[in-house]
Amino acid sequence: MSCFGRYQQHYHEEDKNENKMRMRNKYRKPTTLRCNAGTRCSFPVVVWSLVGCLLMLHLYSLVHHKDGDGGDIQFRKAHHQPLFRELAEVEEENFQIPPPKGKRSPRAAKRRPKRPTTLIEEFLDESSQLRPVFFPDMKTAIDPMKEGENESLYYYPARIWLDTDGNPIQAHGGGIMYDDKSRKYYWYGEYKDGPTYHIHKKAAARVDIIGVGCYSSKDLWTWKNEGIVLTAEETDETHDLHKSNVLERPKVIYNRNTDKYVMWMHIDDANYTKASVGVAVSKSPTGPFNYLHSKRPHGFDSRDMTIFKDDNGIAYLIYSSEDNSELHIGPLSRDYLYVTRAMRRILVGQHREAPALFKYEGTYYMVTSGCTGWAPNEAMAHAAESILGPWETLGNPCIGGNKVLRHTTFFSQSTFVVPLPGFPGSFIFMADRWNPANLRDSRYVWLPLTVGGAADQPLDYNFGFPLWSRVSIYWHKRWRLPYRLSELKL
């Protein structure tokens, strides 16, 4: 055979072999990626390599960000490490659902099989045998005026909390302002010391407006009643503050430009159709506050709301809107009495309410609740590099207790977050445990909140992890501050 013939035979044999390989691989799923000429890379290896790189970058950015705070903060964190460990201890909680009251006949059981009762249903049932667990009676009340030294400064979530006069504190849905002039904390909230009723069968439980209660403290534990600083209107039915209307979630901030204290609140009618914000002003943190006006901010309905004052003095209004399907946020005017035209929609379509904002190391954080009326639901933490967004969801911040507690925000709803001076990254998470059967008996759930560690939920749009830290709220049956704040030079 000639050289050309041998070459041609060899060529046909290679062609046949190549065709066989093509047919053999025709129905095989590709499992490798061609990276460079003459090499192949496993697809899982590429993916995990990218994930590893992202995690390394994330951890590096966190460490680099922490180191930039200076040695003073690092020293304080190390100095108070036992406290951080104590606050971060996970406590478990077990609830046993009691058997149904009375025995049912076998015939009745066959006719209507009973669905197992859930803990949320037990919580909402005012005749439940678990009622004392969710709402402990007066025998266990926190009384700072009678507590011994060993019990001082201890918070007991959901217990009745007494003021210095021995009366239950009435400051629901509230917020706390620290006043540099008087060097005191002021706690403002809904004064609900009235009967609970429904205006019609399908209406939500309500209490007539009495006003906004104010309490002062130097240690965030002993509270003096400063009275009702914004009172209801008894006779004028057209007034926003007429007792038949709704006043919720009052928050107060100080304006240096006008030397006045400004209160914002949710104003509504009995059917929740007004959906507005109201503004009041005072020369003193203890009032009396002069009510100015109400308005739908930016022309949109507004229900659960809060205000946030940034480090540069600019204040912002954050409120649930579009039937609670999204949140709106925008800066206030220089005197804090009006909203400006600027507004951003955030958390669109997520149906969140009860916003509580705070800031740490240049990052903005927010805790929100779902929209289930008086029934408790799962909290979510969010973060943003700019207060106007975009905001990203970090996940459920609740840790400890049990699965039901974590998915009900410990049977409470967020209202405010208070920073602890001298403890970077540590805060007090303020929430309300609503009692829809008797709103005046709603309780306060204060728990330690910390910021630190990598976020545990990836971003939806690129499956990467955010550069900001995780928000953690720890369940404790009882916990305390390590010192009296009144002894610190704030």
Side-chain angles (χ1 to χ4, degrees):
M1 186 179 292
S2 67
C3 292
F4 176 77
R6 287 196 297 269
Y7 174 80
Q8 191 175 29
Q9 182 180 4
H10 177 71
Y11 174 81
H12 285 300
E13 287 177 357
E14 282 191 346
D15 191 41
K16 288 179 181 179
N17 291 335
E18 187 173 351
N19 288 334
K20 288 181 180 179
M21 291 297 295
R22 286 176 182 172
M23 294 299 295
R24 188 180 301 170
N25 296 331
K26 182 177 180 180
Y27 300 102
R28 181 182 297 175
K29 294 182 179 179
T31 57
T32 60
L33 292 176
R34 194 177 299 273
C35 298
N36 296 311
T39 64
R40 287 178 179 267
C41 298
S42 171
F43 183 75
V45 170
V46 173
V47 172
W48 285 111
S49 298
L50 291 174
V51 171
C53 291
L54 289 172
L55 287 175
M56 291 297 292
L57 287 173
H58 176 57
L59 292 175
Y60 171 79
S61 63
L62 285 177
V63 172
H64 182 73
H65 192 52
K66 302 289 184 187
D67 291 343
D69 296 330
D72 181 53
I73 290 179
Q74 294 295 330
F75 171 78
R76 282 184 286 174
K77 285 185 178 180
H79 181 68
H80 296 299
Q81 197 63 31
L83 169 73
F84 283 95
R85 285 199 299 267
E86 180 181 342
L87 295 183
E89 288 179 355
V90 177
E91 294 186 23
E92 298 299 325
E93 191 83 46
N94 293 316
F95 294 108
Q96 298 294 329
I97 298 180
K101 297 179 181 179
K103 295 183 178 180
R104 305 171 69 209
S105 67
R107 289 183 179 179
K110 290 181 180 179
R111 287 197 305 267
R112 181 183 290 179
K114 185 173 179 62
R115 177 174 55 86
T117 303
T118 67
L119 275 175
I120 294 180
E121 289 173 334
E122 289 288 339
F123 174 80
L124 296 173
D125 182 5
E126 57 185 298
S127 61
S128 170
Q129 298 179 53
L130 287 177
R131 202 70 177 168
V133 175
F134 298 122
F135 298 96
D137 60 22
M138 194 70 173
K139 295 178 182 178
T140 64
I142 305 171
D143 189 349
M145 305 307 293
K146 294 183 180 180
E147 298 286 359
E149 187 64 29
N150 293 333
E151 292 296 312
S152 294
L153 303 177
Y154 275 101
Y155 297 99
Y156 291 84
R159 287 193 185 183
I160 295 174
W161 197 349
L162 305 180
D163 61 21
T164 55
D165 295 327
N167 300 315
I169 295 174
Q170 288 288 337
H172 310 282
I176 288 180
M177 178 198 68
Y178 179 75
D179 182 49
D180 290 321
K181 294 181 178 180
S182 59
R183 304 177 71 84
K184 291 182 181 179
Y185 291 93
Y186 292 91
W187 181 5
Y188 304 90
E190 307 160 29
Y191 201 92
K192 288 186 175 295
D193 197 19
T196 300
Y197 67 94
H198 302 259
I199 58 172
H200 53 77
K201 291 183 179 180
K202 295 184 179 181
R206 58 161 288 125
V207 172
D208 282 343
I209 295 179
I210 297 175
V212 176
C214 175
Y215 296 81
S216 63
S217 174
K218 290 187 175 182
D219 58 12
L220 289 172
W221 190 69
T222 304
W223 294 95
K224 176 186 176 183
N225 187 0
E226 299 288 353
I228 298 176
V229 295
L230 179 67
T231 58
E233 170 60 42
E234 293 287 336
T235 57
D236 185 1
E237 296 183 1
T238 65
H239 198 282
D240 285 342
L241 300 184
H242 186 261
K243 61 182 182 180
S244 63
N245 290 326
V246 170
L247 186 163
E248 294 177 338
R249 299 187 171 270
K251 305 293 187 293
V252 175
I253 52 177
Y254 171 70
N255 188 295
R256 292 184 179 275
N257 300 318
T258 62
D259 192 27
K260 291 183 179 179
Y261 300 85
V262 183
M263 179 189 297
W264 284 71
M265 69 213 85
H266 170 208
I267 293 294
D268 228 315
D269 54 26
N271 291 312
Y272 284 85
T273 60
K274 188 178 181 66
S276 301
V277 289
V279 183
V281 66
S282 173
K283 295 181 179 179
S284 166
T286 57
F289 280 79
N290 177 35
Y291 186 77
L292 300 180
H293 57 261
S294 69
K295 188 177 183 180
R296 283 195 165 192
H298 310 108
F300 291 92
D301 59 297
S302 170
R303 292 183 172 84
D304 276 11
M305 48 67 62
T306 191
I307 50 176
F308 175 80
K309 183 179 177 181
D310 210 342
D311 303 331
N312 57 8
I314 299 176
Y316 297 83
L317 171 69
I318 305 94
Y319 58 97
S320 296
S321 191
E322 298 287 15
D323 293 326
N324 289 345
S325 66
E326 61 191 39
L327 294 180
H328 293 176
I329 182 169
L332 302 181
S333 58
R334 192 170 179 268
D335 56 10
Y336 299 169
L337 301 183
Y338 303 91
V339 294
T340 63
R341 293 183 178 181
M343 185 272 285
R344 293 286 179 87
R345 301 169 184 261
I346 62 175
L347 307 184
V348 176
Q350 296 191 32
H351 296 273
R352 309 303 296 174
E353 64 178 11
L357 271 75
F358 60 103
K359 188 178 182 180
Y360 177 58
E361 292 184 344
T363 298
Y364 299 89
Y365 294 92
M366 176 168 55
V367 179
T368 64
S369 81
C371 303
T372 55
W374 295 118
N377 56 62
E378 185 178 23
M380 285 290 165
H382 317 270
E385 294 180 351
S386 167
I387 192 170
L388 295 178
W391 285 81
E392 299 292 347
T393 299
L394 304 180
N396 186 344
C398 298
I399 296 177
N402 56 40
K403 184 177 180 180
V404 177
L405 277 172
R406 292 190 294 272
H407 283 79
T408 58
T409 319
F410 311 114
F411 289 97
S412 66
Q413 185 182 40
S414 53
T415 184
F416 203 75
V417 175
V418 186
L420 284 179
F423 285 80
S426 292
F427 304 81
I428 296 178
F429 171 72
M430 294 173 54
D432 295 282
R433 179 172 290 182
W434 298 112
N435 184 351
N438 184 9
L439 288 171
R440 78 169 83 184
D441 192 40
S442 298
R443 307 300 176 83
Y444 311 106
V445 174
W446 286 24
L447 291 168
L449 180 152
T450 63
V451 179
D456 57 359
Q457 180 167 315
L459 302 181
D460 292 335
Y461 60 85
N462 64 359
F463 300 101
F465 284 83
L467 297 180
W468 36 77
S469 302
R470 189 188 196 283
V471 176
S472 301
I473 303 171
Y474 299 94
W475 170 252
H476 291 270
K477 296 179 182 177
R478 81 166 194 165
W479 66 284
R480 66 181 178 86
L481 297 175
Y483 50 70
R484 284 190 178 272
L485 293 181
S486 58
E487 297 174 357
L488 293 179
K489 294 181 179 180
L490 301 177

